[in-house]
Amino acid sequence: MSRTRSRVARSTTFLLAAGLAMTTLAATAPTAQAASSVAGPITRAEIISRAQNWVDEAVPYNQGTSYPDPQGRNYRMDCSGYVSMAWHADQSYTTWTLPNVSTEVSKSSLLPGDALNYSEEHVILFGNWIDKSAGTFKYFAEQNSTVVTNTYTGNLNSSSLAGWPTSVYKGLRYDKTTSGQDGIGMWDTYNRYFHLRNSPNAGANDRDFVYGGAGMTPLTGNWDGQGADGVGMWDPTNHTFYLRNSPNAGGNDYEVSFGSIGDIPVVGDWDGNGTDTIGVWRPSNHTFYLRNSNTPGAADKTFAYGGDGMIPLAGDWDGIGTDGIGMYDPATHMVYLRNSPNAGGNDFQFGYGTTGDKPVVGDYDGDGKDTVAIWRPSNHNFYINNQNTNNDADYNFAYGGDDMIPLAGDWDGQ
């Protein structure tokens, strides 16, 4: 799941499925400390990073040979061995046995790090949606002995995929996959410092840096689809977004003018392709204007939702990979959430917080679903709620100070 943050506030081949007796290929794959343990919980960002390692190493296809992962553990050099390696599994599974450590999901709900498996012949690792509405996506694969491990573009609406009928593939989600837990943060309106903490609890800052300017609104989002959230700014005077891919000081990776004076910024993964993109909510007509890329241009989605005095929200409320929209009414401290980014009724509606509280969206327990927490300026306390269903906080803690704006994001990609 991309970590969405609205703060106002991703030729025919014939491959054998069975594992064969292997020799070990001498290799110098880089040694690095893994965030996960073998057969332990693993984030989608780490799965994609591990898959990219064999692409970078140009690992060939050879069912009778193994190759090391970044930590030196060997996996079979074929399609299912590659997926096993990316998942950091305890062995090189086959296309027949991968379902033993995963759960079937619909193709339309695929998220980065999932797999498309044809148990008789082949499996590929899902990278991210390119255009979900068109069915196009990026994937990683060990295809055959004529090519090295690489990335490809597929289309669920095509008759074939990686050399086999698209209809024979089933979506698989590794049982140990986690979405990554969001941390918390603050942007100091006085000195323009970001203060970020990797976990959603009290403690010292993990990152402190200056970014932004006076009068701007801080934003966070996964602008490049690479795992960790970056930071951003909205300048209301020129309705321009300034976005940086990483959560640290430096130049802008994107500068995009969008919207109009008076608009409120909102960012999210509107098309489920794994990247967060820009949008605005216009108080004058209660309308969202959302764009599927961080580039200038017309809105890709335009629809009315919300009401006077409300604060727009965005998040993956149902955990399927596409962000929905929402509203927080500060007058009644009511939350209204819709699972999809379009007009329609509320999927969640509940009271939370009290007058003066600030809504902060995040995945605070790493379950793949965003929820609405609040930060109370009067006592500098976060009140974290891991369900979008009630007015009771699961826990609370002090963090931040006067004249600060609360944030949430996956700062370390873990």
Side-chain angles (χ1 to χ4, degrees):
M1 173 184 77
S2 65
R3 298 270 74 81
T4 305
R5 307 295 158 248
S6 169
R7 300 294 174 252
V8 278
R10 191 156 62 57
S11 71
T12 302
T13 59
F14 298 89
L15 305 178
L16 298 174
L20 305 177
M22 295 185 294
T23 59
T24 301
L25 181 67
T28 56
T31 299
Q33 183 177 357
S36 64
S37 59
V38 175
I42 184 170
T43 66
R44 297 188 182 281
E46 187 181 353
I47 291 173
I48 296 302
S49 177
R50 289 173 64 84
Q52 184 64 44
N53 174 254
W54 274 25
V55 173
D56 295 341
E57 292 286 306
V59 177
Y61 181 96
N62 188 332
Q63 281 195 314
T65 307
S66 65
Y67 192 86
D69 71 358
Q71 290 71 48
R73 183 181 181 87
N74 290 313
Y75 291 86
R76 194 177 58 251
M77 294 160 53
D78 65 0
C79 60
S80 51
Y82 178 47
V83 171
S84 301
M85 183 281 299
W87 286 355
H88 211 175
D90 58 349
Q91 61 181 277
S92 294
Y93 288 91
T94 69
T95 53
W96 299 320
T97 58
L98 280 170
N100 296 340
V101 292
S102 59
T103 300
E104 185 175 340
V105 297
S106 68
K107 295 186 180 91
S108 63
S109 65
L110 288 168
L111 297 174
D114 292 342
L116 281 164
N117 186 52
Y118 172 30
S119 61
E120 296 299 320
E121 299 289 350
H122 192 37
V123 64
I124 62 177
L125 188 78
F126 184 85
N128 60 262
W129 293 105
I130 297 172
D131 185 341
K132 191 173 184 178
S133 63
T136 56
F137 62 96
K138 171 185 173 181
Y139 69 91
F140 297 77
E142 275 267 36
Q143 292 283 56
N144 58 47
S145 59
T146 67
V147 293
V148 298
T149 307
N150 214 332
T151 59
Y152 303 88
T153 297
N155 191 329
L156 292 180
N157 296 321
S158 296
S159 60
S160 65
L161 175 62
W164 301 99
T166 305
S167 61
V168 302
Y169 287 91
K170 292 183 178 180
L172 295 180
R173 181 160 298 158
Y174 184 42
D175 290 336
K176 300 297 180 70
T177 302
T178 66
S179 294
Q181 184 183 51
D182 280 341
I184 43 117
M186 288 284 160
W187 188 68
D188 192 324
T189 60
Y190 177 72
N191 58 20
R192 305 165 197 170
Y193 258 89
F194 276 89
H195 305 285
L196 307 180
R197 179 165 169 76
N198 291 336
S199 54
N201 49 40
N205 305 323
D206 293 295
R207 300 168 186 259
D208 300 278
F209 58 92
V210 175
Y211 185 78
M216 294 186 177
T217 299
L219 307 166
T220 67
N222 190 352
W223 320 125
D224 58 2
Q226 296 304 306
D229 283 337
V231 293
M233 284 287 161
W234 160 263
D235 188 338
T237 64
N238 60 7
H239 45 90
T240 297
F241 288 86
Y242 302 93
L243 309 177
R244 179 165 171 78
N245 288 332
S246 53
N248 51 36
N252 305 314
D253 293 296
Y254 309 88
E255 296 185 16
V256 187
S257 178
F258 187 75
S260 301
I261 301 296
D263 289 348
I264 298 174
V266 59
V267 297
D269 185 357
W270 314 124
D271 58 2
N273 73 346
T275 61
D276 289 325
T277 53
I278 58 176
V280 296
W281 183 71
R282 189 159 295 161
S284 61
N285 61 3
H286 308 154
T287 297
F288 278 92
Y289 299 85
L290 308 179
R291 184 154 173 80
N292 289 331
S293 63
N294 291 314
T295 58
D300 295 294
K301 298 174 183 283
T302 303
F303 56 92
Y305 186 83
D308 289 344
M310 294 187 177
I311 298 170
L313 307 171
D316 189 358
W317 317 125
D318 55 6
I320 69 167
T322 299
D323 285 334
I325 42 92
M327 285 287 157
Y328 181 77
D329 188 340
T332 61
H333 39 90
M334 287 292 294
V335 179
Y336 306 94
L337 306 178
R338 179 166 170 78
N339 287 332
S340 53
N342 50 38
N346 305 316
D347 293 295
F348 303 89
Q349 181 174 324
F350 56 95
Y352 194 55
T354 189
T355 302
D357 290 346
K358 308 296 182 185
V360 193
V361 173
D363 181 0
Y364 300 107
D365 59 0
D367 69 348
K369 299 178 181 179
D370 287 327
T371 56
V372 180
I374 56 98
W375 183 73
R376 189 159 295 161
S378 61
N379 63 3
H380 308 151
N381 262 243
F382 275 92
Y383 294 83
I384 304 296
N385 186 353
N386 288 323
Q387 302 84 33
N388 287 317
T389 55
N390 58 61
N391 195 32
D392 299 320
D394 290 294
Y395 62 100
N396 66 285
F397 57 91
Y399 187 83
D402 292 341
D403 301 317
M404 294 187 178
I405 297 174
L407 309 163
D410 187 0
W411 316 126
D412 57 3
Q414 304 298 320

